[in-house]
Amino acid sequence: MPFVRNKARKFELQKAITVETSSGAKKLDSWGRIKDIYVTMFDTSEKNQLTMGSAGVRAKKYTHLGLTPFKGIKTEHDYRIVNENGVFEVKGVNNDNTMSQLYLERLG
């Protein structure tokens, strides 16, 4: 599945901003804009299964696979991508290849 530039769509990459509650737990406060990225999306909803990548990526549930040249998404943080077609939560990332693979779940 190559990155097809003319099929890539612009998304706003957002990172979860959390606050610490009085009990010490982390709670989602808001979503902060990181930057605009281009992603080629592939619908994989019929392949909803456990996936292991070479980087140890585990994604139990994802509806779309995205390819992007942007390498700044890390698995230890919560990210989502947003555009006029919907909101996609990043469930896993594989940055080992030329293009980063994003395992995404459609939220809305």
Side-chain angles (χ1 to χ4, degrees), residues 77-89:
H77 301 292
D78 291 329
Y79 290 97
R80 71 180 186 180
I81 57 174
V82 180
N83 75 358
E84 66 277 353
N85 294 327
V87 178
F88 298 86
E89 180 181 0

Side-chain angles (χ1 to χ4, degrees), residues 53-55 67-71 94-101 103:
S54 61
L67 294 177
T68 181
F70 181 67
K71 297 280 191 177
N94 182 356
N95 286 321
D96 286 347
N97 301 314
T98 306
M99 296 288 166
S100 292
Q101 293 176 323
Y103 300 95

Side-chain angles (χ1 to χ4, degrees), residues 15-74:
K15 181 178 173 184
I17 299 172
T18 57
V19 294
E20 194 169 310
T21 63
S22 58
S23 65
K26 292 191 177 193
K27 177 181 146 187
L28 177 65
D29 183 45
S30 62
W31 291 95
R33 182 184 188 283
I34 303 296
K35 68 179 290 183
D36 289 336
I37 62 172
Y38 286 89
V39 180
T40 300
M41 300 283 280
F42 300 95
D43 186 354
T44 59
S45 54
E46 71 279 355
K47 299 176 187 173
N48 216 0
Q49 59 190 1
L50 181 68
T51 302
M52 291 292 292
S54 61
V57 173
R58 297 186 69 164
K60 290 185 179 179
K61 181 181 178 189
Y62 63 94
T63 57
H64 292 76
L65 179 69
L67 294 177
T68 181
F70 181 67
K71 297 280 191 177
I73 300 172
K74 308 292 182 216

